[in-house]
Amino acid sequence: MRSVHTSRLGDIAVLTLDNPPVNGFGRQQRRLLVDAIDAAANDPAVVGLVVTGAGALFSGGADIREFGKPESMASPHLLDVIAVAESCAKPVVAAINGTCMGGGLEFALGCHGRVALSKAMVALPEVKLGLLPGAGGTQRLPRAVGLEHAMNMIVSGDGVPAKMLAATALFDAVVEDDVVGAAAAIARKLAASAQPTPRMRDRAVEHPDAEAFLQFTRTAVAGQFPREPARLQCVEAVAGSLKPFTEGLQQERSLFVMLMATPESQALRHAFFAERAASKIGDVPADTPTRPIAKVGVIGAGTMGGGISMNFLNAGLPVTLVETRQDALDRSVATIRKNYDNSARKGKLRPEQVDQRMALLQPTLDFALLADCDLLIEAVFEDMAVKRTVFEKLDATAKAGAILASNTSTLDLDAIAAWTKRPQDVIGMHFFSPANVMKLLEVVRGKSTAKDVLATVMKLAKTIRKTAVVSGVCDGFIGNRMLEHYGRMANYLVEEGASPQQVDRALEDWGMAMGPFRMGDLAGNDIGWAIRKRRYVEKPHLKYSRLADRLCEQGRYGQKTGKGWYRYEAGNRTALPDPEVDALIVAYRQDIGVTPRKIDDAEIVDRCIYALVNEGARLLAEGIAQRASDIDMVYLAGYGFPAWRGGPMGHADLVGLFMVARRMRQFAAQPGGDADFWQPAPLLAELAAQGKTFSDA
């Protein structure tokens, strides 16, 4: 329940924000805080006020339950609350007891004094939602920490420990404990002073050659973030702090309102909520009991197995890593150690932390040592026969209640579970390579997977700092099933007249982290080839270009062979155009009787992205994905989809499903086009006809 608790510390009123989960400034909370400030100000026994947060944080800013809704700006809005505190006749001091972000920091800046715990993190992260601080943050922070520090914090949106800003005017004191007591002492001191109560708005922003600094920053930000308008508008808002306060505040507000309407901000806000929604599973209550996970076993010490192991070592969980060959096991341990040593050289880990993590690793050839593990993850070759052998051994070895997980990226989890006598304990945990880096964890729920197993894995994902998304069982699950059609379209585009370089460039210019052909070379073209061979048998109705097969028949598997769609020089991952590939493409077109045509970048982008969207609509209708935003999270966290596009389904919603369906029908009508595939999926067609979005599904 939202509340502001009032207590007394002698002659100081202590107001404690209590609005779980982040002490957000929701509408009711804002009203309660104004009432509490007014009550304390009118109490003759009170000489000053301290505002702090309940629990381990001060305030996360806006209440996410109201984000983007009219309630967020209902009276009193945050600007009103700050004005009430700033104009209070008695000093108001913020006691920052933990994380202080967004509107929380803006409120603190409006107080007459601030005291923070040294470990507290402060940030104005609004730019990560395509916005800028809209309650005076761009005007008061430069006055508190200087133009350059404020610019870096606001344009990046990153948090900074309070102790790093201890020497600035942001804090009157930075303490190790009893932050409320220290803030009360500051409030008494201010109350006893004959000087006017200090206000951050009254300070001047001083910076040597400010205009040169601003021009340099504009150029740098425009070059680094060409498709994120909020970054550059943050620069302009901070530049406004050089003006009189009221004028700068008006400029900040105008820019904030403008950014709220941009598609980039809408997409980033969609992604923000999508990440939070992904952890909620419709038929699994939040209070579902979970199984204890104290020790993890990983079977397979290849690239994936080693990377998976690191996630748990990083979280302080011991890992038993099993291989069948000593040389493979030794290579994996050496790679893990090398990765940690590299982190230590970069200052990300202390040497003793490296030793602590390596001490948690138990490499072995003895499968029996997995018997005491609570979670066992299979990370062997993507072959059903190999996986069957592993799971039958796991079923005979693992203790009762242990969770058996497969890292399969495409195979039938229900068939895998059927090889055991405990299908309720089997789940998919599809990590993405490199597994110790990529955020996405695709959690595959089998038809027999127990609810407590699913809840345990979702909770564990947070422990190892992964973004977990639940998928049902199908070939390729959410991500790879959609990716298959993305790749199919890319190959058809080259078959019809584009070059691999043009396709990659068009999609990268649009925002994708890497084009499909560069991605194929990185992952290994032979992997896709093996999957296609299976598809030719299992899905004979599905049309494929055989161009990629010809590439693989020449041993051009990508970076690992030095040749793929591009060529690579030794020790260099730069993708270089190769005349041999150009000749291969020309010969293939001649063999199949295709006269190449000119294809523009817009068609490349639409065909590849809408291929994702159409298959995503089918996944949603089949119940493989719980919600459209889950599909978006898979692509945002695992496939390099630009956050400011909102994911494939969010992007389609922003374009408008009517126009998306119309474009698909145009592709279906093209000579030689895949007319069956380009018929809008029934769900997409229905939503488009009704003027709805995937968010409504």
Side-chain angles (χ1 to χ4, degrees):
M1 181 177 177
R2 300 172 177 88
S3 181
V4 175
H5 306 295
T6 300
S7 59
R8 290 283 291 276
L9 197 59
D11 53 359
I12 299 297
V14 179
L15 314 183
T16 303
L17 306 172
D18 188 2
N19 183 19
V22 298
N23 292 336
F25 282 104
R27 180 181 184 180
Q28 182 65 16
Q29 193 78 348
R30 298 194 300 271
R31 289 181 173 182
L32 291 170
L33 183 54
V34 169
D35 288 344
I37 292 172
D38 287 344
N42 292 323
D43 186 342
V46 169
V47 301
L49 294 74
V50 167
V51 181
T52 192
L57 51 80
F58 180 75
S59 174
D63 189 328
I64 62 171
R65 292 165 292 201
E66 297 180 358
F67 209 94
K69 299 177 182 178
E71 298 97 293
S72 65
M73 286 305 298
S75 179
H77 51 67
L78 186 54
L79 283 163
D80 294 330
V81 179
I82 294 171
V84 167
E86 191 175 53
S87 63
C88 183
K90 297 174 182 178
V92 181
V93 179
I96 300 173
N97 57 308
T99 300
C100 179
M101 301 176 68
L105 181 54
E106 289 183 294
F107 172 79
L109 282 162
C111 292
H112 305 118
R114 288 150 299 280
V115 178
L117 289 177
S118 64
K119 64 182 179 181
M121 295 293 291
V122 297
L124 291 174
E126 286 83 355
V127 72
K128 296 182 179 182
L129 298 179
L131 299 170
L132 54 76
T138 66
Q139 304 306 298
R140 290 187 177 92
L141 190 63
R143 289 168 163 82
V145 302
L147 190 65
E148 192 166 346
H149 278 316
M151 186 72 78
N152 289 337
M153 287 180 65
I154 292 170
V155 172
S156 72
D158 294 337
V160 177
K163 62 184 177 183
M164 304 228 4
L165 299 169
T168 71
L170 179 58
F171 298 118
D172 297 88
V174 173
V175 298
E176 297 301 322
D177 54 29
D178 192 15
V179 67
V180 172
I186 297 294
R188 290 190 187 98
K189 180 180 177 181
L190 291 174
S193 173
Q195 299 298 317
T197 307
R199 300 188 308 172
M200 194 61 71
R201 65 185 292 160
D202 296 331
R203 295 177 62 90
V205 178
E206 296 180 358
H207 189 280
D209 205 359
E211 283 307 317
F213 166 72
L214 290 172
Q215 192 53 47
F216 170 81
T217 304
R218 289 183 183 105
T219 302
V221 170
Q224 189 174 357
F225 304 103
R227 305 301 296 272
E228 297 184 51
R231 306 276 183 174
L232 197 55
Q233 297 309 322
C234 281
V235 177
E236 298 308 322
V238 173
S241 67
L242 295 167
K243 302 175 182 178
F245 181 82
T246 301
E247 189 177 337
L249 194 65
Q250 290 173 343
Q251 178 177 323
E252 173 192 272
R253 198 67 199 158
S254 296
L255 294 173
F256 178 86
V257 171
M258 181 271 289
L259 287 171
M260 280 288 288
T262 62
E264 291 84 1
S265 179
Q266 293 176 53
L268 288 165
R269 282 179 275 144
H270 168 76
F272 175 85
F273 287 109
E275 185 168 7
R276 280 144 187 80
S279 63
K280 298 177 175 64
I281 306 165
D283 64 335
V284 181
D287 60 354
T288 299
T290 57
R291 302 186 187 186
I293 304 295
K295 188 175 184 180
V296 177
V298 177
I299 302 90
T303 301
M304 284 302 298
I308 291 170
S309 298
M310 289 181 69
N311 289 291
F312 297 100
L313 299 175
N314 295 345
L317 287 168
V319 174
T320 299
L321 179 61
V322 174
E323 246 300 341
T324 57
R325 300 190 336 269
Q326 188 65 49
D327 60 335
L329 191 62
D330 292 342
R331 278 197 304 272
S332 183
V333 173
T335 298
I336 293 171
R337 179 82 201 202
K338 180 181 177 182
N339 287 338
Y340 282 139
D341 286 341
N342 287 339
S343 294
R345 275 194 291 273
K346 295 174 183 176
K348 296 179 179 179
L349 289 176
R350 298 188 303 275
E352 60 267 27
Q353 289 179 302
V354 173
D355 293 337
Q356 288 166 1
R357 295 181 189 193
M358 292 303 299
L360 291 171
L361 180 65
Q362 182 184 27
T364 182
L365 301 178
D366 187 356
F367 210 89
L369 293 182
L370 297 171
D372 63 343
C373 292
D374 303 297
L375 168 67
L376 299 115
I377 304 173
E378 162 273 308
V380 300
F381 187 67
E382 191 79 341
D383 178 85
M384 285 296 259
V386 175
K387 292 188 186 293
R388 179 167 189 162
T389 300
V390 170
F391 269 86
E392 287 177 344
K393 289 181 71 175
L394 282 176
D395 193 35
T397 304
K399 67 182 182 181
I403 296 174
L404 311 184
S406 174
N407 181 53
T408 179
S409 58
T410 58
L411 301 178
D412 186 343
L413 186 78
D414 289 332
I416 291 171
W419 298 327
T420 75
K421 299 181 181 65
R422 48 175 113 181
Q424 73 279 0
D425 294 336
V426 177
I427 194 167
M429 292 180 70
H430 177 206
F431 290 82
F432 285 69
S433 186
N436 56 307
V437 175
M438 295 297 289
K439 284 186 63 178
L440 180 64
L441 176 63
E442 206 172 25
V443 178
V444 185
R445 181 184 192 178
K447 65 182 180 182
S448 300
T449 302
K451 291 182 180 179
D452 67 329
V453 169
L454 186 57
T456 300
V457 170
M458 294 299 285
K459 178 182 177 182
L460 186 63
K462 294 181 180 179
T463 301
I464 60 174
R465 300 183 178 182
K466 296 295 183 188
T467 299
V469 180
V470 176
S471 171
V473 176
C474 68
D475 194 350
F477 315 126
I478 294 173
N480 283 339
R481 176 169 151 181
M482 291 170 63
L483 189 69
E484 176 184 1
H485 299 287
Y486 177 81
R488 284 177 63 228
M489 290 306 124
N491 277 272
Y492 273 131
L493 285 159
V494 173
E495 182 179 290
E496 294 168 27
S499 68
Q501 298 96 300
Q502 184 194 359
V503 173
D504 282 348
R505 184 181 63 252
L507 286 160
E508 289 167 9
D509 287 348
W510 186 80
M512 297 297 289
M514 186 176 289
F517 296 105
R518 288 210 303 132
M519 184 170 65
D521 278 1
L522 177 64
N525 294 311
D526 52 324
I527 296 173
W529 191 27
I531 293 172
R532 285 193 302 278
K533 288 176 182 176
R534 178 161 59 87
R535 296 282 196 273
Y536 297 151
V537 176
E538 297 172 350
K539 299 181 179 181
H541 63 284
L542 204 58
K543 292 173 61 179
Y544 289 91
S545 167
R546 299 299 174 108
L547 178 59
D549 295 354
R550 288 207 180 177
L551 189 85
C552 291
E553 286 164 4
Q554 295 189 11
R556 301 186 69 106
Y557 296 159
Q559 291 187 15
K560 59 188 172 185
T561 58
K563 291 183 177 182
W565 292 102
Y566 300 87
R567 66 180 180 85
Y568 302 87
E569 296 177 351
N572 191 337
R573 292 178 179 269
T574 302
L576 303 171
D578 192 338
E580 291 182 10
V581 175
D582 297 339
L584 182 152
I585 293 169
V586 169
Y588 177 76
R589 288 170 181 161
Q590 291 173 346
D591 289 347
I592 63 173
V594 167
T595 301
R597 64 182 177 87
K598 183 176 178 58
I599 300 174
D600 63 29
D601 288 357
E603 180 180 344
I604 290 171
V605 169
D606 285 352
R607 281 176 63 178
C608 290
I609 300 303
Y610 291 168
L612 292 175
V613 171
N614 211 25
E615 195 63 20
R618 294 188 177 99
L619 283 166
L620 195 58
E622 293 169 21
I624 299 300
Q626 288 188 95
R627 53 185 77 88
S629 62
D630 283 2
I631 295 172
D632 289 330
M633 279 317 303
V634 167
Y635 270 80
L636 292 170
Y639 290 87
F641 205 97
W644 48 271
R645 295 283 190 186
M649 315 308 277
H651 170 68
D653 281 348
L654 284 171
V655 170
L657 298 190
F658 179 89
M659 296 304 292
V660 171
R662 176 179 178 273
R663 186 73 161 138
M664 288 180 179
R665 294 187 182 102
Q666 289 178 336
F667 294 146
Q670 284 181 343
D674 191 342
D676 290 338
F677 177 79
W678 282 120
Q679 288 305 313
L683 176 62
L684 194 162
E686 178 185 343
L687 293 171
Q690 296 174 355
K692 294 183 177 180
T693 67
F694 284 123
S695 298
D696 299 319

